[in-house]
Amino acid sequence: MDLQDPLKDMREEYLFPQQNGKPFIYLCGNSLGLQPKVAKEVLGKQLDNWQNLAVEGWFEGNEPWMFYHKELKRLMAPIVGASGDEVCPMNTLTVNLHLLMVSFYRPTKERFKIIMEAGAFPSDQYAIESQVRFHGFDPKDAIIEVAPKEGEYTLKTEDIVAAIAANGAEIALVLFGGINYFTGQLFDMKTITKAGHQVGAKVGFDLAHAAGNVPLHLHDWDVDFACWCSYKYQNAGPGGISGIFVHQKHFSDQSLHRFAGWWGYQEKNRFLMEKGFVPETGADGWQVSCTQVMPMALYHASLQLFEKVGFMEPLRKKSKILTEYLFFIVDEVNKALGFEQFKIITPRNQDERGAQVSIIAKKDGKKIFDHLVKNNVLGDWREPNVIRLSAVPMYNNFEDVFSTGELLLAVSKSVNND
Ligand SMILES: Cc1ncc(COP(=O)(O)O)c(C=O)c1O
């Protein structure tokens, strides 16, 4: 499979962390993607511009910082299925969730509820709670969490749709993750968006685990807004810049509130420094502070590699098979042990998951995880009991998955003999 893989050379474009003189099998792109080799050069160019041009770098040089984000917009758009003017790199993810809720969570006495997935990433829970309180509501009344059925780990689309319909007239906002960070479940964003709109709510997504992992069609799905981080599947470095999406249909809505700053002001008149905020058209109008050139340079470096492979379709094609293989390998380990040591909680259906596979060990999960790391396999551990492994199509191969299986088996045997 590795020999036949059209993306097989892409792993050469990335730097793998090492331990005891050996590269890790890196299965942790769901948390922090690897550094593209070209990152130093692209970042170095901007450091040179800073050195050589200093303040003039904003308007001079090959890539004036004033317009630097435009090249990123061009490259981000195909990753999330949007037009360039619907996306913009800015800030960090939770900050953008807040800024977008300022615009798209406008509760009234009758319609004030937010519907979300139970077990969403904590930052989303805290952001939503605090937004609800900010508007004078009690999270206990205003937040509806859709939870899996007793004994299950993942949600059924029909249960999400039913929860939206059941609370229809009270829902102001449907805010879901694109993929749940814990289970790796990919939600049916098109159907959720339609259900939200049917009851008159706005619909947004946190795409931290979906952007760069699975193809997205935010514009066509009619999603109102979304945001994501760039440091997971998009390999833009720790704390990397976030991206936002605002659907074109909202561009002319003058009634939308926003927390404004000078960088969201109409670009052509920004430096007239006049009183009275006039937003730039499109997602750019949500910018607050000036362009963060260095984190953007890292995102730029990484996005060039997405362009090189033809963006999401080729990646997804490989990802489906590679992750299927990871499922197979875990099943084989269980078979060889003669009992279900590893329970997979990620949906097996390819349309309901991306690259991440979440596994619960029957016993000694943390011990097994620590053994994996000691033996050069790096996934991650999420409390209380989950090992997350992601075979990322950009830089992982089938041999990585096979070797991980061998180690899982060996470690399980030794743990069970302890
Ligand atoms: C789903 C999700 N939302 C939000 C965040 C928080 O992102 P940030 O710290 O960049 O605001 C994360 C971080 O991993 C995440 O996985």
Side-chain angles (χ1 to χ4, degrees):
M1 292 303 286
D2 283 334
L3 287 175
Q4 289 167 14
D5 174 11
L7 302 179
K8 65 175 180 299
D9 296 332
M10 289 311 293
R11 65 196 266 123
E12 300 305 322
E13 305 278 357
Y14 293 85
L15 295 163
F16 286 75
Q18 309 245 336
Q19 178 173 254
N20 305 326
K22 265 177 50 196
F24 271 102
I25 292 178
Y26 195 74
L27 301 179
C28 208
N30 56 286
S31 186
L32 181 70
L34 292 180
Q35 182 182 143
K37 287 181 181 165
V38 73
K40 274 205 177 107
E41 182 192 323
V42 176
L43 184 62
K45 252 200 237 165
Q46 296 308 334
L47 288 171
D48 289 347
N49 285 342
W50 181 21
Q51 177 182 337
N52 297 324
L53 300 165
V55 72
E56 296 210 297
W58 283 105
F59 292 98
E60 303 295 330
N62 294 336
E63 294 169 313
W65 299 327
M66 176 77 181
F67 311 110
Y68 189 42
H69 70 300
K70 296 194 185 208
E71 171 64 357
L72 274 84
K73 284 156 65 77
R74 180 183 76 78
L75 295 166
M76 291 156 78
I79 296 201
V80 295
S83 64
D85 54 358
E86 289 175 312
V87 295
C88 190
M90 63 179 80
N91 312 313
T92 43
L93 172 54
T94 312
V95 171
N96 285 336
L97 269 174
H98 277 297
L99 292 176
L100 290 165
M101 275 194 271
V102 165
S103 299
F104 294 103
Y105 177 53
R106 304 292 310 156
T108 62
K109 236 168 57 204
E110 296 75 34
R111 190 184 274 283
F112 60 96
K113 295 191 177 175
I114 300 182
I115 192 156
M116 64 188 294
E117 89 247 39
F121 191 78
S123 204
D124 298 41
Q125 297 180 35
Y126 309 149
I128 290 172
E129 263 175 46
S130 60
Q131 284 281 334
V132 160
R133 284 209 176 89
F134 174 72
H135 285 284
F137 296 96
D138 184 340
K140 282 206 296 296
D141 305 325
I143 299 175
I144 302 168
E145 292 189 335
V146 191
K149 292 201 166 71
E150 183 77 25
E152 293 180 10
Y153 288 93
T154 52
L155 287 168
K156 301 253 181 323
T157 305
E158 60 262 31
D159 292 342
I160 301 171
V161 169
I164 293 171
N167 296 279
E170 292 181 334
I171 301 175
L173 175 65
V174 177
L175 183 51
F176 259 69
I179 290 182
N180 180 270
Y181 83 99
F182 192 77
T183 63
Q185 179 179 16
L186 167 61
F187 295 115
D188 181 346
M189 287 174 255
K190 185 179 175 185
T191 303
I192 293 172
T193 303
K194 197 164 158 216
H197 287 164
Q198 260 165 5
V199 300
K202 294 283 187 295
V203 183
F205 291 96
D206 172 346
L207 301 174
H209 290 266
N213 180 7
V214 293
L216 300 163
H217 304 282
L218 298 181
H219 178 89
D220 290 348
W221 293 339
D222 206 25
V223 169
D224 291 294
F225 70 93
C227 46
W228 55 92
C229 59
S230 58
Y231 46 77
K232 298 179 186 297
Y233 297 95
Q234 293 183 82
N235 312 318
I241 196 140
S242 166
I244 70 158
F245 164 87
V246 177
H247 199 283
Q248 206 170 31
K249 68 186 176 184
H250 296 299
F251 290 178
S252 58
D253 183 353
Q254 299 293 321
S255 71
L256 277 180
H257 283 270
R258 55 185 108 190
F259 284 171
W262 73 318
W263 225 255
Y265 194 91
Q266 234 182 17
E267 189 182 286
K268 68 177 190 310
N269 293 327
R270 187 181 296 151
F271 283 88
L272 298 179
M273 309 302 216
E274 287 185 338
K275 207 170 163 52
F277 179 71
V278 183
E280 176 59 40
T281 306
D284 288 18
W286 270 264
Q287 294 174 103
V288 178
S289 296
C290 65
T291 299
Q292 297 157 261
V293 176
M294 300 307 157
M296 274 196 208
L298 292 172
Y299 196 13
H300 189 193
S302 162
L303 288 172
Q304 289 173 6
L305 296 174
F306 277 82
E307 186 175 38
K308 185 172 172 179
V309 300
F311 293 103
M312 293 312 300
E313 292 304 330
L315 288 168
R316 179 63 168 158
K317 194 169 167 207
K318 173 175 169 186
S319 178
K320 281 184 172 174
I321 312 168
L322 190 59
T323 300
E324 191 76 47
Y325 185 52
L326 180 51
F327 277 100
F328 168 79
I329 285 289
V330 175
D331 289 343
E332 288 295 296
V333 170
N334 283 334
K335 259 192 238 163
L337 289 169
F339 63 96
E340 195 187 33
Q341 165 72 334
F342 298 106
K343 182 181 178 59
I344 297 176
I345 62 169
T346 305
R348 279 173 189 259
N349 178 351
Q350 293 185 343
D351 297 329
E352 293 177 47
R353 48 109 177 137
Q356 177 185 322
V357 177
S358 299
I359 300 167
I360 296 178
K362 188 168 179 174
K363 60 177 192 138
D364 296 318
K366 185 64 171 56
K367 221 161 148 185
I368 289 170
F369 174 75
D370 291 342
H371 268 73
L372 288 178
V373 178
K374 224 164 65 201
N375 288 283
N376 275 40
V377 172
L378 203 50
D380 71 0
W381 173 258
R382 276 287 170 262
E383 293 295 344
N385 57 358
V386 159
I387 297 172
R388 300 189 302 182
L389 301 175
S390 298
V392 173
M394 186 72 100
Y395 49 70
N396 284 121
N397 61 20
F398 290 83
E399 190 178 345
D400 287 343
V401 175
F402 178 79
S403 305
T404 300
E406 285 198 311
L407 189 58
L408 271 179
L409 181 59
V411 169
S412 303
K413 280 182 178 158
S414 77
V415 165
N416 284 321
N417 291 335
D418 273 356

